Amino acid sequence: MRMPPQRPPEQPRGGILMGRPFGVPVYVAPSWFLVAALITWVFGGQLDRVLPELGAARYLVSLFFAVAFYASVLIHELAHTIAALRFELPVRRIQLQFFGGVSEIEKEAETPGREFWLAFVGPLLSLALAGVFYLAMNAVEPGTVPGVLVAGLMISNLIVAVFNLLPGLPLDGGRMLRAVVWKITGRPMSGTVAAAWVGRALAVSVLIGLPLLTQSGALGTRAEDSVGMDTVTDALLAAILAAIIWTGAGNSLRMARLREHLPELRARTLTRRAVPVETHTPLSEALRRANDAGARALVVVDANGEPLSLVREAAIVGVPEHRRPWVAVSGLAQDLNDGMRVSAELAGEDLLDVLRATPATEYLVVEETGEIFGVLSAADVERAFVKAMARPS
């Protein structure tokens, strides 16, 4: 989603900040270190068979391979980022994490053609990197450390490209399929549904098929070697990959439903009617005026009718009825700031952007003339949001 013009300070939940290429922060998630250790251990075992003379130094070489591999993944994600920025789509961050990386693009492409190319550039660049490392193999000696590293990076980038081209969300190939169906049907939601269900079918295929392929020797290992701990490892790897794909496909469906129903969230229709009351008005009197006017909110104003604060609904509920004649509304109000003034014309993503920029329980909704229109409750927006999400597309 598009962020508001003035963003709040970034939270460190993305992991370790590594830099800001093209102004986009790149984070390394804690899960990356687990994967790096796993790659180091597995690749180290392979090196022990190919270059046994390395001894314990093979793990340093393996660690270098893990870092170089994720540098390739970063280049893959940067391709998506550059394409998004070229299409004027804001990118929140790039995160390197368990089993790859993700570019968090905050807004959808406006056309299926742009969506297709935005998805395709990542695998395309991975294929290009595989080609570069293939050519580099001619410049290194086979059976040496450089030769093994270059060959490993060529194969790993080829695997990344082919895997991401599989036609199911959340993979790049799924987004390409979504763009094709979108182009044919004219409805982005139809493309998302098709690609998401293909992604779920792909998850089931990975869960069942990957261990079977390994045991059959179709992936290059002898069937008699794929027993014991190796079988357990293959099954665990398949389960993790399947869970990631299945969850990503479901999230893609939910996000598509969100974007489809966002225009239904309109400040004007969600706003509660409010009555203005002066600072020292007793709560009981203020509630009486609201009931007479059919209003559900109170705005504290000065002698000139200028809004000063909003009486919080939660604070009203907390005052026993017998004490309300003795409690002034000013003691239950939250002072207004600029971020709590919302235009009645806001809707969809623009409305959510404003609310995210200034978290509060209530907002003053005003007309373009500055006249008070009413009070918008964050709880009402949340309920409308949940209701819209639950409605079938």
Side-chain angles (χ1 to χ4, degrees), residues 69 73 76-77 80 99-101 119-120 122-124 126 156-177 202:
F69 168 67
V73 173
H76 174 110
E77 296 303 327
H80 291 306
F99 281 114
F120 184 51
L124 181 63
S126 292
S156 61
N157 276 280
L158 184 60
I159 291 174
V160 168
V162 173
F163 181 72
N164 274 280
L165 284 172
L166 294 175
L169 287 172
L171 303 175
D172 293 330
R175 294 178 61 191
M176 293 163 64
L177 174 62
L202 181 63

Side-chain angles (χ1 to χ4, degrees), residues 265-288:
L265 302 179
R266 306 187 64 84
R268 186 174 293 278
T269 58
L270 293 174
T271 296
R272 300 178 178 184
R273 185 177 178 183
V275 294
V277 292
E278 295 189 354
T279 303
H280 301 296
T281 305
L283 178 58
S284 59
E285 172 62 17
L287 292 177
R288 185 193 64 78

Side-chain angles (χ1 to χ4, degrees), residues 225-355:
D225 292 337
S226 302
V227 295
M229 185 58 68
D230 287 343
T231 302
V232 175
T233 302
D234 292 338
L236 180 61
L237 176 63
I240 293 173
L241 281 174
I244 291 173
I245 296 172
W246 183 279
T247 303
N251 288 339
S252 297
L253 273 176
R254 283 188 289 273
M255 288 301 298
R257 189 178 296 117
L258 181 155
R259 288 191 171 100
E260 188 174 56
H261 292 304
L262 268 183
E264 300 173 14
L265 302 179
R266 306 187 64 84
R268 186 174 293 278
T269 58
L270 293 174
T271 296
R272 300 178 178 184
R273 185 177 178 183
V275 294
V277 292
E278 295 189 354
T279 303
H280 301 296
T281 305
L283 178 58
S284 59
E285 172 62 17
L287 292 177
R288 185 193 64 78
R289 295 181 191 176
N291 289 332
D292 290 345
R296 299 175 54 206
L298 302 172
V299 178
V300 180
V301 298
D302 61 16
N304 297 320
E306 289 296 322
L308 300 174
S309 57
L310 302 178
V311 179
R312 294 173 292 121
E313 182 181 20
I316 295 175
V317 174
V319 179
E321 190 169 351
H322 69 275
R323 293 194 62 245
R324 291 177 179 178
W326 317 107
V327 177
V329 291
S330 59
L332 308 175
Q334 181 179 9
D335 290 340
L336 282 171
N337 57 48
D338 290 338
M340 292 171 62
R341 295 174 185 264
V342 176
S343 170
E345 302 304 320
L346 286 177
E349 290 189 38
D350 292 334
L351 174 60
L352 295 182
D353 286 343
V354 171
L355 302 191

Side-chain angles (χ1 to χ4, degrees), residues 92-107:
R92 180 180 302 168
R93 65 179 177 178
I94 297 173
Q95 187 179 51
L96 300 180
Q97 55 189 5
F98 198 76
F99 281 114
V102 59
S103 301
E104 296 186 9
I105 301 172
E106 299 175 352
K107 191 177 179 181

